[in-house]
Amino acid sequence: MDTKRVNHALAAFRAIGAARRRYGQARLELGIFLEHVRSTEAWRLRNESFASFLEEERINDKAAYQYMRVARRFALELAVDDGTLAELAMVNMTTLDLAARVATPDNLEEILAIMTTLSERDARTELEAIEAQMDRQPTGKRREQRVEKVLRLYRELPDDQRIDVRNVLRVQPEVKTNARHD
C-alpha cells in the first residue's frame, strides 16, 4: 500500500472511533434527559402519556427505555464519574443494558472492568453469568427455564408495559356471599 492510502485509512479509523464515541455519549445523554422527563412527568405538558411523548419525538420506545435504564443505573444511581461514562459510551447498548440490570454498588468495579476490557461477546457471557447467579432463589435452586425466559422478557419491557402486565396478573379476591346454600 502506498503512504497516501495508509494515511487515508488511518484517518478513517480515527473518524470512526470519534463518531462512535459521540454516538455513545449522545445515547447516555439522551437517556438522562428522557429519564428526567419520565420521572418528573414533564411529558404531561405536551402529551397524554410518556409513550405518546416518545412517539411525537420519533424516539423508538424500546431504545428509549434501554437508554433510560442505563442512564438511571450508571449516571444517576451509581453516579459513575465522567471518565467512566466516556468509556461506557464505547460499549454496545445491549451489553450496557445487561450490565445495568446486574450492577450494584458492591460489584460496580467488576462490572466496569468486564465491560471495558473484554470483547463484547465475552462481556455479555460474564454479565449473563452474574445475572444467573443473582436470579438464583435463596434455596440455591435455579428457576425453571421457561420462568427465567418470562422474567427476562418482563425485564425488557418498558415501564408502562410492566405496569400493564402487573395489572393483568393481579389476582382478584374471591367474592364471598352470605347466602346459604341448603
Side-chain angles (χ1 to χ4, degrees):
M1 274 193 170
D2 64 54
T3 305
K4 189 174 184 178
R5 286 181 61 184
V6 169
N7 289 339
H8 281 107
L10 293 175
F13 297 154
R14 283 190 300 275
I16 289 169
R20 283 188 59 230
R21 193 170 353 289
R22 286 190 312 271
Y23 175 66
Q25 289 173 330
R27 291 180 312 189
L28 293 172
E29 187 177 332
L30 182 59
I32 291 168
F33 293 139
L34 287 171
E35 178 60 24
H36 176 74
V37 167
R38 187 201 60 78
S39 66
T40 63
E41 297 187 354
W43 51 265
R44 290 183 184 276
L45 296 171
R46 291 188 7 207
N47 300 91
E48 293 180 18
S49 68
F50 184 66
S52 298
F53 169 78
L54 292 175
E55 186 176 334
E56 182 180 299
E57 292 294 320
R58 296 182 177 159
I59 299 173
N60 177 282
D61 61 338
K62 290 187 188 300
Y65 282 100
Q66 268 190 332
Y67 298 166
M68 289 186 302
R69 274 191 301 272
V70 168
R72 184 172 46 247
R73 175 69 75 203
F74 292 110
L76 304 175
E77 295 171 0
L78 298 173
V80 301
D81 60 75
D82 290 342
T84 303
L85 284 177
E87 285 185 72
L88 293 180
M90 297 299 286
V91 176
N92 169 287
M93 184 51 73
T94 303
T95 305
L96 278 173
D97 190 38
L98 178 56
R101 292 195 306 258
V102 300
T104 66
D106 295 333
N107 71 6
L108 179 61
E109 291 303 317
E110 177 187 8
I111 299 297
L112 294 175
I114 287 169
M115 287 190 298
T116 57
T117 60
L118 298 179
S119 69
E120 178 184 333
R121 184 182 64 225
D122 291 344
R124 288 178 66 189
T125 300
E126 288 296 317
L127 294 169
E128 287 168 351
I130 292 169
E131 183 179 44
Q133 186 70 17
M134 293 173 84
D135 283 346
R136 291 186 190 270
Q137 295 179 354
T139 62
K141 293 181 183 175
R142 202 133 147 80
R143 290 188 186 113
E144 201 271 323
Q145 191 174 18
R146 290 181 296 171
V147 173
E148 289 288 337
K149 182 177 180 180
V150 168
L151 292 173
R152 181 180 47 77
L153 292 171
Y154 174 78
R155 283 192 299 264
E156 292 173 358
L157 289 173
D159 291 342
D160 56 338
Q161 291 178 6
R162 285 184 188 194
I163 292 168
D164 289 344
V165 169
R166 286 194 299 265
N167 287 338
V168 167
L169 293 176
R170 190 166 290 136
V171 178
Q172 298 298 320
E174 248 181 68
V175 178
K176 294 186 179 185
T177 61
N178 290 334
R180 288 185 162 175
H181 299 286
D182 293 309

